Amino acid sequence: MDLNDRFWNASIDELKQGYIDEGPVWVCLLCGKTLEKGIIYPDREVLYESERYMNVHIRREHGSVFQYLSGLDKKLTGLTEHQNRLLQLFYQGKNDKEVQEELGIGSASTIRNHRFALKEKERQSKVLLTLMELLKDKDNHAPAFVEIPKQAKMVDERYNVTEEERESILAKVFPEGTDGPLKTFKIKEKQKYVVLREIAARLEPGVIYSEQEINDMIGRENPDYVTIRRYLIEYGFLDRKDDGSQYWLTT
């Protein structure tokens, strides 16, 4: 299971803590880092049991689960920029008056109205989650969709891909299997997303790659390898230093 599948299949409690139990290891849902159980991890002259050290990792690398989730694209959070900012200020422990002064809008009662609207959104979300869970037992015709990357920068119709479509696309463009060379990148945008997702799966979270290593991973025999590398960045799968000397999977 890749990082996106782990993230979207996690329970609310698992998302709140930011990591999951996968037998012999703990896995960070935010970046994929794994910590082996039964190992003591030394850090800054302190010894940590593995689960406690995962909490240290999340705090140090991601700030907090709240900070990470609130930084996702608004198409994934369902929040407007204004609502997101309000939640961040509430999370910082500010009262309504302080929030009103910070934002320079309305009055304290205006902020209370925003709190009410957010609470209403929470109720609606709970009802929708329950309906969707109940629907799973009855809707035998629902297709399985490919999970949207949580690092996606623009969520639109390109990501509307079923698992059946994905398998068909991969069979067409990777005739020797997904570990083999890419036949062509002259394909539709939806198909490009599927191909880019597959290529990105060849990379390891937390590993820094040189441009040459990325090119080799894509396949230099493909005349479009430079374009593919650029698309991996545009689609949010990869990030890099400004000088192009280092590349890594985004989380």
Side-chain angles (χ1 to χ4, degrees):
M1 184 181 295
D2 68 19
L3 183 56
N4 278 305
D5 289 333
R6 284 191 181 103
F7 183 88
W8 293 116
N9 289 318
S11 67
I12 291 179
D13 285 339
E14 288 170 334
L15 283 174
K16 283 172 61 179
Q17 69 181 11
Y19 60 91
I20 55 174
D21 182 346
E22 285 197 356
V25 297
W26 301 104
V27 182
C28 177
L29 288 168
L30 313 184
C31 69
K33 181 180 179 64
T34 61
L35 294 177
E36 186 177 346
K37 295 178 183 177
I39 301 294
I40 299 300
Y41 293 86
D43 184 274
R44 300 179 183 177
E45 300 183 353
V46 178
L47 300 178
Y48 293 95
E49 176 271 331
S50 57
E51 186 172 8
R52 284 193 63 198
Y53 193 53
M54 181 59 78
N55 284 285
V56 172
H57 159 75
I58 289 174
R59 184 174 64 253
R60 185 175 296 163
E61 298 299 326
H62 307 293
S64 68
V65 175
F66 184 95
Q67 183 177 331
Y68 180 89
L69 294 179
S70 64
L72 294 177
D73 188 272
K74 61 185 178 181
K75 285 286 188 73
L76 299 180
T77 64
L79 298 168
T80 65
E81 291 182 10
H82 182 62
Q83 289 172 326
N84 195 317
R85 181 60 179 151
L86 283 167
L87 286 176
Q88 292 179 32
L89 293 173
F90 295 151
Y91 188 76
Q92 293 170 17
K94 296 183 182 293
N95 61 35
D96 291 358
K97 180 64 175 175
E98 291 170 329
V99 172
Q100 181 266 324
E101 292 175 350
E102 176 90 13
L103 297 179
I105 58 171
S107 62
S109 62
T110 302
I111 305 303
R112 285 196 296 275
N113 290 336
H114 284 302
R115 284 186 183 274
F116 180 82
L118 287 166
K119 192 66 179 178
E120 184 178 33
K121 195 175 186 70
E122 179 189 16
R123 296 190 192 98
Q124 293 168 344
S125 298
K126 285 182 178 179
V127 172
L128 178 58
L129 280 173
T130 304
L131 288 172
M132 294 302 291
E133 284 296 316
L134 292 170
L135 185 59
K136 288 179 182 178
D137 298 329
K138 297 292 185 181
D139 188 1
N140 298 320
H141 305 289
F145 287 95
V146 175
E147 297 292 3
I148 297 174
K150 55 188 175 64
Q151 71 273 20
K153 297 178 179 179
M154 294 182 293
V155 181
D156 52 32
E157 286 300 310
R158 289 174 292 180
Y159 297 97
N160 182 9
V161 182
T162 67
E163 285 291 347
E164 184 177 357
E165 288 175 318
R166 171 181 170 272
E167 292 176 5
S168 175
I169 293 167
L170 293 178
K172 174 184 175 182
V173 299
F174 289 105
E176 298 178 25
T178 53
D179 290 332
L182 175 65
K183 180 180 178 181
T184 180
F185 197 61
K186 292 179 173 58
I187 49 182
K188 297 178 180 178
E189 287 299 315
K190 179 187 287 191
Q191 295 172 325
K192 286 179 180 177
Y193 159 59
V194 172
V195 170
L196 295 169
R197 186 176 186 269
E198 198 65 31
I199 292 174
R202 300 175 180 178
L203 307 176
E204 293 291 331
V207 176
I208 302 297
Y209 296 91
S210 67
E211 184 174 289
Q212 179 177 338
E213 288 172 323
I214 294 296
N215 293 340
D216 291 340
M217 197 74 70
I218 295 170
R220 289 177 179 272
E221 69 279 3
N222 191 300
D224 293 319
Y225 74 89
V226 174
T227 300
I228 294 171
R229 191 180 69 224
R230 175 171 56 81
Y231 265 75
L232 284 167
I233 295 170
E234 290 182 0
Y235 270 71
F237 289 105
L238 283 184
D239 204 347
R240 67 170 185 173
K241 282 193 170 182
D242 290 340
D243 62 4
S245 62
Q246 294 183 345
Y247 292 75
W248 58 89
L249 278 177
T250 55
T251 57

